[in-house]
Amino acid sequence: MADLATPAATPETAVDPANWTCPAPLHDQPVVVMGHGGGGALSAELIEQVFAPAYGNPVLAALTDSAVFDLGGARLAFSTDSYVVRPLFFPGGSLGDLAVNGTVNDLAMSGARPAFLSTAFVLEEGVELEVVGRIARAIGAAARAADVTVATGDTKVVESGHGDGVYVTTAGVGLVPDGVDIRPQRARPGDAVIVSGPIGQHGVAVMSVREGLEFGVEIVSDTAPLAGLVAAMLEVTKDLHVLRDPTRGGLGASLNEIARASGTGVLLRDRAVPVPEEVANACGFLGLDPLYVANEGRLVAFVPPEHAEAVLAAMHAHPQGTGAALIGECVADHPGMVVVATGLGGTRVVDLPLGEQLPRIC
Amino acid sequence: MADLATPAATPETAVDPANWTCPAPLHDQPVVVMGHGGGGALSAELIEQVFAPAYGNPVLAALTDSAVFDLGGARLAFSTDSYVVRPLFFPGGSLGDLAVNGTVNDLAMSGARPAFLSTAFVLEEGVELEVVGRIARAIGAAARAADVTVATGDTKVVESGHGDGVYVTTAGVGLVPDGVDIRPQRARPGDAVIVSGPIGQHGVAVMSVREGLEFGVEIVSDTAPLAGLVAAMLEVTKDLHVLRDPTRGGLGASLNEIARASGTGVLLRDRAVPVPEEVANACGFLGLDPLYVANEGRLVAFVPPEHAEAVLAAMHAHPQGTGAALIGECVADHPGMVVVATGLGGTRVVDLPLGEQLPRIC
């Protein structure tokens, strides 16, 4: 695919923001490529050019982690994700943990209290029932830890060679508290940008076991449910503007989506972004940028500046937020763009990645 | 698998109901077989022995088409299904139609008014984007026809050889009206058993195109949304006892599940079950029993006898119920068992099938 190799389409380009222009269209592939599932520009094109026109409705058009709507007098959040991570088990978790925490977190990113989950398995003929049982037990344990009930499910089986052991799709329903309105469009210049902990662990953990790499220290996935942390933040103020869990595409993709949805800019301070030393070393070795590596137990928050200090303190007091850090701010300059102020006094653009550096990371 | 070949495990056995005993355990397979996804005895074992213990909660234990619970003061139904039908397009519909109608119907079987759907795609690398677009447009059209909103979604991509073009998982949320309590446990001796139309069309339609068979007349899938029909039935009485859409495993599996869940028996009148002539002919040719062939736009209802006539009239007046027929009754005899009174004055047991006669039918 020639388009994939054009210089303008590399995930990061050191350009002057003032002279930056949108890369050439990338959507001339006639077939699905791995990047269409990567949470980057190709995923966004698939949504904007295929799904949104086909479904044609304003709820989907919001393109948030979860849909929020009123039903029977209740304000609900509703979300779904398929999980195709390879391998099924990795340091710190399994596909089962991701399938619960990923959907719980998507609901929490609307400020919702997650309540009920569904699980739908697509099993490959010949996979050991013991493996299915281990995944199911991981789902049960993760659901109890996240205080959600698995309420309904389905199982299909496909012939050997048409699956990869176990795929799981979860959907979730949660209740959005009164007065909470958290969505990417609400980012405002001046907002503090806060990340809940060190980034890059999940992606590097999966990559290390997939490729048989060892980095001296075992790096474990950060997979965790974040609804409790969000509830603690909402106790400080209901006026959180944006929450996002930077999974596929990492922090870089999430911040780009927020900047584009809100028409604001994001200015990060390079040295403020918490990257564990072992993650930085592994990324250096693998040629990855930690800003684009998937996380499964972290969130990024856009918080009105007057509440930033108190929200950060509340996060530090919660087990899932001990490593929280102020990493930058929302700005009126360079709308739709994420820029990093480097330690050397320069800046670089953090563009929306094309696809995922690490396919099938979740 | 020796267990799969034991005579006691064939889907139908001409035995005296009074002397019938449960077949030997079937669950000694160490690996997943196609039948685990067939909606029959192996599917039930997977739920009872793997998922229910792992998740351990009373909502899932109900094993209904959809879960029903209270959230934020609203009484909600929630359901999910994965769709892996092969081929993706068949006479009368596509995977996209099934993905909407199947989940809409699962919600409707709780008496709910379906409101919002999610769609999660697992795409195989290399599938044509045009195919994805056709499925998405079918989903959009089916959602509009069923008056539901596709509110949220996800897309993952797996490598070529780990999928089969397009798999879609939908989940749905609907609102259960006050005073409605429809579930398999509520079947009572005396209930009229009503089917909403002729059976077997979906399974035969898929099978014919899959195997390149022609039967003189084109048999088209019955895929259709049933929530409108259910609403018309509920206008007659809110006291419908059971609704079920006989998909995988067909009418035979659905009736067995109801009989077992309620501890009642079901007595069918063989000649009252509407089987279109072309379906009967095709089933004869293929060696299939129409009672076990999947339907995607039919329901079976257990209705208190005093309301049966009026409910049947309401069904006949609705486009999805013109072919509705009274096919039998719920009885106190042979609890947990479905028996057919044949035209010749004999009876035969309709057992829960082991798996699906036609794998990947939905």
Side-chain angles (χ1 to χ4, degrees):
Chain A
M1 300 296 148
D3 281 337
L4 290 171
T6 54
T10 54
E12 254 184 52
T13 320
V15 295
D16 172 8
N19 293 320
W20 185 86
T21 55
C22 181
L26 310 166
H27 45 76
D28 292 335
Q29 293 81 11
V31 299
V32 168
V33 297
M34 294 303 293
H36 281 115
L42 287 171
S43 288
E45 284 187 359
L46 201 60
I47 294 171
E48 288 160 15
Q49 294 172 21
V50 177
F51 295 121
Y55 300 166
N57 68 65
V59 181
L60 186 78
L63 298 179
T64 48
D65 283 329
S66 55
V68 175
F69 47 73
D70 291 305
L71 189 60
R75 188 146 185 82
L76 304 178
F78 180 38
S79 186
T80 193
D81 266 324
S82 289
Y83 297 87
V84 299
V85 66
R86 186 172 53 86
L88 298 174
F89 305 93
F90 46 79
S94 71
L95 182 143
D97 297 288
L98 296 187
V100 172
N101 293 336
T103 295
V104 159
N105 292 348
D106 280 346
L107 295 172
M109 296 307 113
S110 297
R113 185 177 56 75
F116 294 95
L117 291 189
S118 64
T119 68
F121 281 68
V122 175
L123 301 176
E124 186 186 15
E125 186 186 15
V127 66
E128 289 166 17
L129 278 169
E130 171 52 27
V131 170
V132 180
R134 283 174 70 194
I135 298 289
R137 289 191 293 277
I139 287 175
R144 286 186 288 276
D147 198 21
V148 293
T149 299
V150 182
T152 188
D154 180 48
T155 306
K156 294 294 192 308
V157 180
V158 294
E159 302 87 349
S160 180
H162 289 300
D164 199 2
V166 181
Y167 298 147
V168 175
T169 301
T170 49
V173 181
L175 196 61
V176 181
D178 287 342
V180 169
D181 179 22
I182 300 173
R183 50 195 166 86
Q185 292 82 359
R186 292 197 67 220
R188 292 284 175 277
D191 282 354
V193 177
I194 297 171
V195 69
S196 67
I199 64 168
Q201 288 175 226
H202 174 72
V204 170
V206 171
M207 193 68 177
S208 66
V209 59
R210 192 187 293 176
E211 305 298 338
L213 301 173
E214 292 186 22
F215 301 108
V217 188
E218 185 182 60
I219 301 169
V220 300
S221 169
D222 48 61
T223 180
L226 296 172
L229 176 64
V230 171
M233 296 165 71
L234 286 170
E235 278 185 24
V236 176
T237 174
K238 287 190 171 177
D239 193 29
L240 303 176
H241 286 170
V242 188
L243 294 173
R244 198 93 177 181
D245 56 334
T247 57
R248 288 178 293 178
L251 191 60
S254 290
L255 292 174
N256 267 280
E257 287 162 6
I258 296 165
R260 290 175 187 202
S262 61
T264 65
V266 175
L267 181 63
L268 294 184
R269 284 185 293 278
D270 195 0
R271 294 182 178 176
V273 179
V275 181
E277 191 181 345
E278 59 272 24
V279 169
N281 289 343
C283 284
F285 180 75
L286 295 164
L288 303 175
D289 183 334
L291 279 178
Y292 294 115
V293 174
N295 314 275
E296 291 290 338
R298 303 290 180 236
L299 64 80
V300 60
F302 282 53
V303 180
E306 63 273 24
H307 298 299
E309 197 173 331
V311 167
L312 200 52
M315 294 174 77
H316 286 151
H318 190 278
Q320 298 302 336
T322 52
L326 177 71
I327 59 171
E329 61 181 320
C330 188
V331 296
D333 294 341
H334 51 81
M337 202 184 307
V338 180
V339 171
V340 177
T342 67
L344 299 172
T347 59
R348 64 182 173 107
V349 172
V350 178
D351 200 1
L352 187 64
L354 245 192
E356 169 56 73
Q357 300 179 110
L358 309 172
R360 297 184 54 187
I361 203 71
C362 61
Chain B
M1 300 293 149
D3 281 335
L4 289 173
T6 54
T10 55
E12 257 184 50
T13 320
V15 295
D16 171 10
N19 293 320
W20 186 85
T21 55
C22 183
L26 309 166
H27 45 78
D28 291 336
Q29 293 82 10
V31 300
V32 169
V33 297
M34 293 304 293
H36 281 115
L42 288 170
S43 288
E45 284 187 0
L46 200 60
I47 295 171
E48 289 160 14
Q49 294 172 20
V50 177
F51 294 121
Y55 299 167
N57 67 67
V59 181
L60 185 77
L63 297 178
T64 48
D65 282 329
S66 55
V68 174
F69 47 74
D70 290 305
L71 189 60
R75 187 143 187 84
L76 303 178
F78 180 37
S79 186
T80 192
D81 266 324
S82 289
Y83 297 87
V84 299
V85 66
R86 183 173 54 87
L88 297 174
F89 304 92
F90 46 80
S94 71
L95 184 142
D97 297 288
L98 297 187
V100 172
N101 293 337
T103 295
V104 160
N105 292 349
D106 280 346
L107 296 172
M109 296 308 112
S110 298
R113 186 176 56 76
F116 294 96
L117 292 188
S118 64
T119 68
F121 282 67
V122 174
L123 301 175
E124 185 186 16
E125 187 186 16
V127 66
E128 289 167 17
L129 278 169
E130 172 52 26
V131 170
V132 180
R134 283 174 68 195
I135 297 289
R137 289 191 293 278
I139 287 174
R144 286 187 287 277
D147 198 20
V148 294
T149 300
V150 183
T152 187
D154 181 48
T155 306
K156 295 293 193 307
V157 179
V158 295
E159 301 87 349
S160 180
H162 291 299
D164 198 3
V166 180
Y167 297 147
V168 174
T169 301
T170 49
V173 181
L175 195 60
V176 181
D178 287 342
V180 169
D181 178 22
I182 300 174
R183 49 194 167 86
Q185 293 80 0
R186 290 197 68 221
R188 292 285 175 277
D191 282 356
V193 178
I194 297 171
V195 69
S196 67
I199 64 168
Q201 288 174 225
H202 174 71
V204 171
V206 171
M207 193 67 176
S208 65
V209 60
R210 192 188 293 176
E211 304 300 336
L213 302 174
E214 291 186 23
F215 302 107
V217 189
E218 185 181 61
I219 300 169
V220 301
S221 169
D222 49 60
T223 180
L226 296 172
L229 176 63
V230 171
M233 296 165 71
L234 285 170
E235 279 185 23
V236 176
T237 174
K238 286 189 172 177
D239 192 28
L240 301 177
H241 286 171
V242 188
L243 294 173
R244 197 92 175 185
D245 55 334
T247 56
R248 286 180 295 177
L251 191 59
S254 290
L255 292 175
N256 267 281
E257 288 163 5
I258 296 165
R260 291 175 187 204
S262 60
T264 65
V266 175
L267 180 64
L268 294 185
R269 284 185 293 276
D270 196 1
R271 294 181 178 177
V273 179
V275 182
E277 190 182 344
E278 59 272 24
V279 169
N281 290 342
C283 284
F285 180 75
L286 294 165
L288 303 175
D289 183 334
L291 280 177
Y292 295 115
V293 174
N295 313 276
E296 291 290 338
R298 302 290 179 237
L299 64 81
V300 60
F302 282 53
V303 181
E306 64 273 23
H307 298 301
E309 198 174 332
V311 167
L312 199 53
M315 294 173 79
H316 286 151
H318 190 277
Q320 298 303 336
T322 53
L326 177 70
I327 59 171
E329 60 180 321
C330 187
V331 295
D333 295 339
H334 52 78
M337 202 184 308
V338 180
V339 171
V340 177
T342 67
L344 300 172
T347 59
R348 64 181 174 108
V349 172
V350 178
D351 201 3
L352 187 64
L354 246 192
E356 169 58 70
Q357 300 179 110
L358 309 171
R360 297 183 56 187
I361 203 71
C362 61

